[in-house]
Structures are given as structure tokens and as C-alpha cells.
Amino acid sequence: MTETPGGRDAEAVSKFVESFAAQLVEAGMQRMPARVFAALLSSDDGTMTSVELGEQLRISPAAVSGAVRYLAQTHMVSREREPGSRRERYRVHGDQWYEALTNREALIKRWEGALREGVASLGENTPAGRRMAETLAFFEFIEGEVAAMMERWRAHREREFGA
């Protein structure tokens, strides 16, 4: 058995990373970002360098860079400079799911604006206008539900983790 720096079975960690990454891919995430995210999530302090990620996942620096760029754009990880170094560390935060979901709200708002224009352009009494109005109503409903759910999550997280 090969151990990780934290004393864990490296093979078991690798199996988890690949298994969880496969689940993320099945849900629509690209393969390399899913693997990098799962590796970061499974690290004890939630941070790794490009070299560490490359070694653990057996991928090139370019693959790490592309994956991290995608994950940073989706607010799943952040980049940090090591003090006194040009090296970057990549960090997954405990609230990454909250952040990712919350940042989708801006996208939903833009879709709502476009759908409102569509309803106005097509006419609310046309079949296409009604379909677009129903889609708009769905996004407005989801937006309200997500906001309420995130409030409940914050209270639950405080009770469970004191965070």
C-alpha cells in the first residue's frame, strides 16, 4: 500500500477521485475539470499546486491549466499565489457548491431578461409566446426557490458545522 502525505491509502484515494469524477462527468462536467476538482476535494487542506495535481492525476501541466481555468470560471476553485513565490495553488472551498449555485443566479437573470423580450416580441397570446412565458415563469420560480433553499442551507450549515 502506497500512502499519501496524509497517511491515506493512495490507491483508495485515486479510486475515489476517478469514481467521483465519473459521476461529475455523467452530470455534465468536462472530464479533466471533474478529475482536478475531485482531487482537490479529496486533499486534506483543499489546495494543491499544478505539479501536485499533475503527479497525482498523471496529466500534463497544460491539462491542469485548462481544467483549473474552467473550474475558476465556474467558481468551483480559486487560485492563490504562494507567499514569496510565483507558484499558484488551487483551492476548493467548503462552500464551493453554494458559490457555484449562487453564481448561476446571474445567468438565470440574463435568461429571464431575454425571455421577457421574447414574450414581448412574439406576443404573449401566440403559441411560441405562451411557451416562452411558461419558461420565464419556471425560471422565476426556480430563482425564488433557490434563494429560499440557500437561506435554509446557511442555517443548516451553521447548526451542523458552525461555519
Short mmCIF file of all heavy atoms in Angstrom, two decimals, residues 14 36 44 48 53 66 91 101 103 115 129:
data_model
loop_
_atom_site.label_atom_id
_atom_site.label_comp_id
_atom_site.label_asym_id
_atom_site.label_seq_id
_atom_site.Cartn_x
_atom_site.Cartn_y
_atom_site.Cartn_z
N SER A 14 -7.12 7.48 -5.11
CA SER A 14 -7.20 7.52 -6.57
C SER A 14 -8.52 6.94 -7.07
O SER A 14 -9.15 7.49 -7.97
CB SER A 14 -6.02 6.76 -7.18
OG SER A 14 -6.09 6.81 -8.57
N VAL A 36 -9.73 17.05 -11.72
CA VAL A 36 -8.99 18.03 -10.92
C VAL A 36 -9.82 18.45 -9.70
O VAL A 36 -9.31 18.51 -8.58
CB VAL A 36 -8.58 19.25 -11.77
CG1 VAL A 36 -8.09 20.41 -10.90
CG2 VAL A 36 -7.51 18.84 -12.79
N ASP A 44 -6.40 16.98 1.94
CA ASP A 44 -6.72 17.37 3.32
C ASP A 44 -6.95 18.86 3.49
O ASP A 44 -7.90 19.27 4.17
CB ASP A 44 -5.63 16.90 4.28
CG ASP A 44 -5.74 15.41 4.58
OD1 ASP A 44 -6.85 14.85 4.43
OD2 ASP A 44 -4.72 14.81 4.95
N MET A 48 -3.82 22.37 -3.82
CA MET A 48 -2.74 21.64 -4.49
C MET A 48 -2.13 22.57 -5.53
O MET A 48 -2.79 23.49 -6.03
CB MET A 48 -3.27 20.38 -5.18
CG MET A 48 -3.82 19.34 -4.22
SD MET A 48 -4.53 17.92 -5.08
CE MET A 48 -3.05 16.96 -5.39
N LEU A 53 -1.09 18.28 -8.72
CA LEU A 53 -2.23 17.76 -9.47
C LEU A 53 -1.76 16.90 -10.63
O LEU A 53 -2.30 15.82 -10.86
CB LEU A 53 -3.11 18.91 -9.97
CG LEU A 53 -3.97 19.58 -8.91
CD1 LEU A 53 -4.48 20.93 -9.40
CD2 LEU A 53 -5.12 18.67 -8.52
N GLY A 66 -5.90 24.03 -18.19
CA GLY A 66 -7.21 24.12 -18.82
C GLY A 66 -8.33 23.77 -17.85
O GLY A 66 -9.37 24.43 -17.81
N ARG A 91 -7.38 26.14 -4.88
CA ARG A 91 -8.12 25.83 -3.65
C ARG A 91 -9.59 25.55 -3.96
O ARG A 91 -10.22 26.28 -4.71
CB ARG A 91 -8.03 26.98 -2.67
CG ARG A 91 -8.87 26.79 -1.39
CD ARG A 91 -8.72 27.94 -0.41
NE ARG A 91 -7.35 28.10 0.03
CZ ARG A 91 -6.77 27.38 1.00
NH1 ARG A 91 -7.44 26.43 1.60
NH2 ARG A 91 -5.51 27.61 1.35
N LEU A 101 -23.74 27.51 -7.30
CA LEU A 101 -25.17 27.66 -7.49
C LEU A 101 -25.57 29.13 -7.45
O LEU A 101 -26.36 29.59 -8.27
CB LEU A 101 -25.93 26.87 -6.43
CG LEU A 101 -27.43 26.72 -6.62
CD1 LEU A 101 -27.76 26.08 -7.96
CD2 LEU A 101 -28.02 25.90 -5.49
N ASN A 103 -23.79 31.69 -8.21
CA ASN A 103 -23.33 32.38 -9.42
C ASN A 103 -24.17 32.04 -10.64
O ASN A 103 -24.11 32.74 -11.64
CB ASN A 103 -21.85 32.10 -9.66
CG ASN A 103 -21.00 32.86 -8.69
OD1 ASN A 103 -21.13 34.06 -8.54
ND2 ASN A 103 -20.14 32.16 -7.99
N LEU A 115 -35.96 36.19 -22.12
CA LEU A 115 -37.28 35.59 -22.28
C LEU A 115 -38.38 36.64 -22.26
O LEU A 115 -39.36 36.56 -23.02
CB LEU A 115 -37.53 34.53 -21.20
CG LEU A 115 -36.72 33.24 -21.39
CD1 LEU A 115 -36.74 32.41 -20.12
CD2 LEU A 115 -37.26 32.44 -22.57
N GLY A 129 -45.14 32.53 -27.84
CA GLY A 129 -45.11 33.49 -26.74
C GLY A 129 -45.56 32.86 -25.43
O GLY A 129 -44.97 33.11 -24.37
#
